[in-house]
Amino acid sequence: MKPHRLTFAFQLTVTLLACAFLMVPAGASILAGFTVNYFRGVSSGLTLKWIGEVLALYSDTIALSIAIALGTLGVTLLIGVPAAWALARRPSRLTRLVEEVVTLPVAIPGLALALALILAYGGIREFRMSPLFILTGHVLYTLPFMLRAVMAVLAAVDVRTLEEGAASLGASPLQRFFHVVVPNARGGILAGALMVVTLSIGEFNLTWMLHTPLTKTLPVGLADSYASMRLEIASAYTLVFFVMIVPLLVALQLFGRTVQGAAR
Amino acid sequence: MNRGAAITVASCGKTFADGTRALSPLDLDVRAGETLVLLGPSGCGKTTLLRLIAGLEAPDAGGHIRFDGADVTALPIEKRNVGMVFQSYALFPNMSVIDNVAYGLRVRGMAQAARRAQAAGVLEMMRIGALAQRRIDQLSGGQRQRVALARALAVEPRVILLDEPLTALDAALREHLRGEIDALLKRLAITAIYVTHDQAEALALGDRIVVMRNGAIAQVGTPRDVYFRPADDFVADFVGVTNRLTGTLKNGRFETAAGVVPLPQDLVPPAAPSGPGAVRLLFRPEAARLASPADTPLVFEVVQVEFQGARQKVTLKDPAGARILVEAPADGLLVPGAAVGLILDPARISLA
């Protein structure tokens, strides 16, 4: 049925208004990062000065965020892919239970998870002060995403039968894992990896509880700058975060589509 | 090619973790080089038995599997040197056709050039050499089937195990490939175990057929044995159409409402007759020949005639009303209501 012209115009207006409602604050914030004096408005002139100050003040938080994201990715790959394989090849009540337990951190508030980590390991001074403490939290939080992405692909390609095929040809379990399981799970591994990096870079809840003055990540630094810096610097900082996270989100979107297409 | 292995299955049962008993403990001997077909309806345990022999499942305690006398029960499939063709083919989507076929040689440590050459030879034998560089998702069902077979044969296994390899294909292709597989297995003289629920496949391919039911063996025999001398009603019905006449045994003859049937000497009456004094005579529609009522002591009335060109299917009934189906050449014109004599081939009847 062809929609009435007035109906269409109405729908378009509502959609555009909704978009504007969401985009205007983002646009204003981006603009603030480039404005000489936000209270006097754009008429005060545009500048890159604030960006420069952010890089000078907070480049260590940016570097730490990237390092923790990559570290989290490494650990979730090392644990997540073999774990997904183990869970996919012998589905049973036990593996269902393991899957549920591993997924729990997604449902638990980050603050509670962080508190639990501090209660359990906070006494180990060296660990508490090291960025590894934050990395541990991020791994707990992101592992289920890696696990589920890989498990979904393994189920879609019927990895059990593929493995039986490889075994019938004489392949050992290790050969099967590297020759058959990993290459055929590639789509899920890549989708999971993008997800883990995106989540880790943006994570605030848990990280805010776990950080020390010397282990601040980018989102923690953002909160810090909102509280203590002038608005233009905070906005420029947001802009830096945007530049880092948006390409990851776009990649995730594009990639998710191709993975779904391939599975179909 | 190396000679196939003889396989002994000794009191192998299989109970799954959830308590389902897929297989009652059974014994089976597979001769070196023969093609043995495991035939039965779904859920009869045929695939479980194949997986036990393959090493994909372990038998319950007490069961043993031997290849040429050597106990392989504890060996996983990768150490048994068997080739296996799966119903879904299980081809690796991340490898080309030639890499799929060469994979077994790769894990055996053969250098790339040598294994590709050997794999190319197997592809040629299967007449799919032109497909070597294709990706798996670029192949038709029949091509995938050939690649799966080539891959299983490339490692020169002592035993090849085929799990419903033709089920996923359409009828015409299935019949064509059945002929190819038959010729190939005969030429390679490899021991083959072939699982199917299709009686035509079983009869065409098997040197011997094992008919299975509810996790147990119902009958083991040559296709002719199983077809013409089924061990029981289940086998008779599973492997084609069966006619049954009820009667009694007297002086080496079978007496029924429609007359008498002389029995051959070697035909053994069943140990436990189906009723007091009553015995049933089983025969296939094509084991009977129509004749003039004057020429035979067995006379029926024609009920229905279905003309099929070269042949006709004739439904008959005896004076007691029991109906049977006979296949006859289409030359004689038969009219419903007419009396017709029947001569049964003594080599193709059985008693139950």
Side-chain angles (χ1 to χ4, degrees):
Chain A
M1 197 182 75
K2 209 175 163 189
H4 195 273
R5 258 169 88 186
L6 266 178
T7 317
F8 176 74
F10 177 70
Q11 285 172 339
L12 186 68
T13 313
V14 170
T15 308
L16 287 178
L17 279 175
C19 284
F21 183 73
L22 294 171
M23 306 267 290
V24 164
S29 179
I30 290 171
L31 200 60
F34 288 121
T35 311
V36 173
N37 186 330
Y38 188 67
F39 293 102
R40 279 169 47 210
V42 184
S43 59
S44 64
L46 296 175
T47 175
L48 288 175
K49 186 179 108 189
W50 307 124
I51 303 264
E53 283 208 23
V54 164
L55 292 181
L57 280 168
Y58 293 108
S59 60
D60 57 331
T61 68
I62 298 169
L64 184 64
S65 267
I66 293 174
I68 286 181
L70 293 179
T72 305
L73 174 61
V75 177
T76 50
L77 281 175
L78 278 178
I79 301 176
V81 178
W85 176 47
L87 292 175
R89 65 199 302 224
R90 290 258 175 270
S92 70
R93 209 171 296 167
L94 184 71
T95 58
R96 287 293 304 170
L97 189 72
V98 170
E99 206 185 326
E100 292 306 321
V101 168
V102 171
T103 311
L104 267 181
V106 179
I108 295 174
L111 290 173
L113 199 62
L115 187 66
L117 277 176
I118 290 168
L119 286 175
Y121 304 118
I124 310 170
R125 208 180 126 80
E126 297 302 315
F127 185 39
R128 178 71 186 88
M129 297 198 19
S130 120
L132 287 180
F133 201 55
I134 295 175
L135 189 129
T136 307
H138 282 202
V139 167
L140 271 179
Y141 173 58
T142 56
L143 187 60
F145 294 92
M146 176 65 82
L147 203 59
R148 292 202 168 242
V150 178
M151 282 181 73
V153 168
L154 290 182
V157 299
D158 189 8
V159 79
R160 287 175 74 188
T161 310
L162 288 182
E163 238 202 295
E164 287 182 351
S168 76
L169 295 164
S172 68
L174 209 62
Q175 286 171 321
R176 272 143 39 198
F177 180 69
F178 285 111
H179 295 163
V180 174
V181 177
V182 170
N184 287 302
R186 216 174 34 206
I189 294 173
L190 216 67
L194 280 169
M195 193 71 164
V196 164
V197 170
T198 309
L199 286 173
S200 170
I201 284 188
E203 212 300 317
F204 174 72
N205 259 333
L206 196 145
T207 319
W208 184 73
M209 282 283 278
L210 297 179
H211 86 276
T212 69
L214 295 175
T215 57
K216 272 187 205 164
T217 63
L218 199 160
V220 173
L222 270 182
D224 185 83
S225 74
Y226 295 165
S228 60
M229 292 288 158
R230 51 182 300 168
L231 188 61
E232 290 83 354
I233 292 187
S235 297
Y237 200 3
T238 311
L239 192 64
V240 172
F241 178 67
F242 247 64
V243 168
M244 286 172 66
I245 207 89
V246 167
L248 283 169
L249 287 174
V250 170
L252 203 56
Q253 276 291 320
L254 286 177
F255 195 71
R257 215 171 294 151
T258 51
V259 168
Q260 275 169 16
R264 227 181 284 127
Chain B
M1 282 268 175
N2 52 353
R3 216 172 104 83
I7 300 168
T8 310
V9 175
S11 50
C12 281
K14 180 68 189 176
T15 310
F16 285 111
D18 61 356
T20 325
R21 169 157 257 198
L23 216 56
S24 309
L26 55 81
D27 300 300
L28 182 66
D29 278 306
V30 188
R31 298 168 195 149
E34 82 169 329
T35 300
L36 185 82
V37 176
L38 305 180
L39 173 69
S42 62
C44 72
K46 57 191 191 297
T47 294
T48 303
L49 179 55
L50 187 80
R51 290 172 68 86
L52 287 179
I53 295 170
L56 288 169
E57 308 277 358
D60 294 343
H64 289 278
I65 291 165
R66 297 187 191 90
F67 284 8
D68 279 338
D71 195 322
V72 297
T73 316
L75 292 183
I77 183 169
E78 60 262 31
K79 303 238 169 73
R80 290 196 187 183
N81 195 21
V82 297
M84 188 149 178
V85 177
F86 295 81
Q87 185 173 353
S88 61
Y89 311 136
L91 297 173
F92 310 131
N94 59 312
M95 298 180 198
S96 65
V97 165
I98 187 119
D99 286 341
N100 262 276
V101 176
Y103 185 72
L105 305 170
R106 175 177 164 196
V107 297
R108 280 165 176 73
M110 190 185 274
Q112 179 159 5
R115 66 179 192 243
R116 288 219 164 168
Q118 186 164 333
V122 182
L123 286 178
E124 282 307 322
M125 179 181 80
M126 300 296 298
R127 287 179 286 135
I128 46 171
L131 303 178
Q133 299 308 325
R134 293 268 187 94
R135 286 208 324 267
I136 298 307
D137 58 11
Q138 295 171 315
L139 302 179
S140 70
Q143 289 169 337
R144 283 177 203 212
Q145 210 286 324
R146 285 193 178 90
V147 174
L149 197 54
R151 186 178 73 173
L153 290 171
V155 294
E156 300 188 351
R158 296 190 297 166
V159 178
I160 184 156
L161 307 167
L162 304 107
D163 186 8
E164 307 237 8
L166 301 178
T167 303
L169 305 172
D170 63 71
L173 190 58
R174 203 154 60 217
E175 205 156 310
H176 177 72
L177 282 170
R178 189 172 83 201
E180 277 192 17
I181 291 178
D182 189 31
L184 189 70
L185 294 179
K186 296 242 165 17
R187 193 170 82 231
L188 297 178
I190 188 175
T191 307
I193 302 179
Y194 189 108
V195 165
T196 183
H197 64 268
D198 180 335
Q199 52 130 337
E201 248 171 69
L203 295 172
L205 283 170
D207 291 321
R208 287 192 303 153
I209 295 175
V210 177
V211 185
M212 295 186 66
R213 170 202 200 183
N214 294 340
I217 293 176
Q219 186 176 4
V220 183
T222 65
R224 277 168 195 282
D225 283 343
V226 170
Y227 192 75
F228 293 119
R229 298 267 170 91
D232 57 26
D233 281 345
F234 168 77
V235 177
D237 286 331
F238 194 74
V239 191
V241 178
T242 304
N243 291 310
R244 293 181 174 81
L245 292 173
T246 312
T248 49
L249 292 179
K250 230 176 253 172
N251 308 327
R253 303 192 319 170
F254 176 80
E255 298 189 0
T256 178
V260 294
V261 182
L263 297 177
Q265 297 276 323
D266 63 329
L267 197 60
V268 194
S274 39
V279 169
R280 284 174 314 145
L281 182 107
L282 275 48
F283 64 98
R284 300 290 181 186
E286 64 284 358
R289 190 155 54 81
L290 297 178
S292 154
D295 295 342
T296 165
L298 191 62
V299 181
F300 290 83
E301 181 191 330
V302 177
V303 176
Q304 194 186 6
V305 181
E306 188 183 310
F307 179 64
Q308 292 185 321
R311 302 186 66 77
Q312 54 190 347
K313 272 189 179 171
V314 187
T315 309
L316 305 172
K317 71 173 183 188
D318 69 7
R323 293 187 175 212
I324 60 169
L325 184 73
V326 173
E327 261 192 57
D331 45 0
L333 187 63
L334 292 167
V335 193
V340 65
L342 209 59
I343 299 172
L344 300 181
D345 178 354
R348 296 191 280 175
I349 56 179
S350 63
L351 296 171

